[in-house]
Amino acid sequence: MDKVSVYNSEYTKLNHAYIEIFDFYKKMIECEDADKEVVAVLESILRVFNPTLDRIKSEMTVKTRYKEDAPAEKDAATHDDTDNGKNPYILTGNFTGD
């Protein structure tokens, strides 16, 4: 197995871990009695983790960056344009990786 294959298969898990750490960090900084050492460690992890995730994402193959069965793609394929632009169709994506 090569690094790109690992990036392709594991990026979503790493990104989810980043989001979980970030959510915890946000809650901690709102606490009046937050442990400053814990907050500092979380901040350090996030500062290092973010550019690393960007680097991994940039080296992934394009095909694996997008879900092939994304809801927006299905809706766009079945959308009927008979409203002559009166009801604009807005495409949305699933960016959580779930």
Side-chain angles (χ1 to χ4, degrees), residues 3-76:
K3 75 175 183 181
V4 173
S5 297
V6 174
Y7 288 171
N8 291 342
S9 66
E10 303 300 318
Y11 174 81
T12 302
K13 295 176 195 172
L14 286 175
N15 191 50
H16 181 72
Y18 177 89
I19 291 167
E20 292 296 322
I21 294 168
F22 181 75
D23 288 344
F24 182 77
Y25 170 77
K26 282 192 325 186
K27 290 177 184 175
M28 285 299 298
I29 62 175
E30 293 175 1
C31 295
E32 293 177 14
D33 62 342
D35 185 328
K36 292 182 182 187
E37 185 177 341
V38 170
V39 170
V41 168
L42 292 172
E43 187 175 315
S44 297
I45 291 168
L46 293 169
R47 286 182 192 269
V48 173
F49 210 0
N50 191 31
T52 302
L53 283 173
D54 288 344
R55 180 177 178 148
I56 291 169
K57 187 175 182 179
S58 73
E59 293 189 31
M60 291 170 61
T61 57
V62 175
K63 184 177 181 181
T64 59
R65 291 187 195 178
Y66 306 98
K67 281 186 153 186
E68 290 183 28
D69 59 346
E73 292 174 5
K74 288 181 186 175
D75 293 342

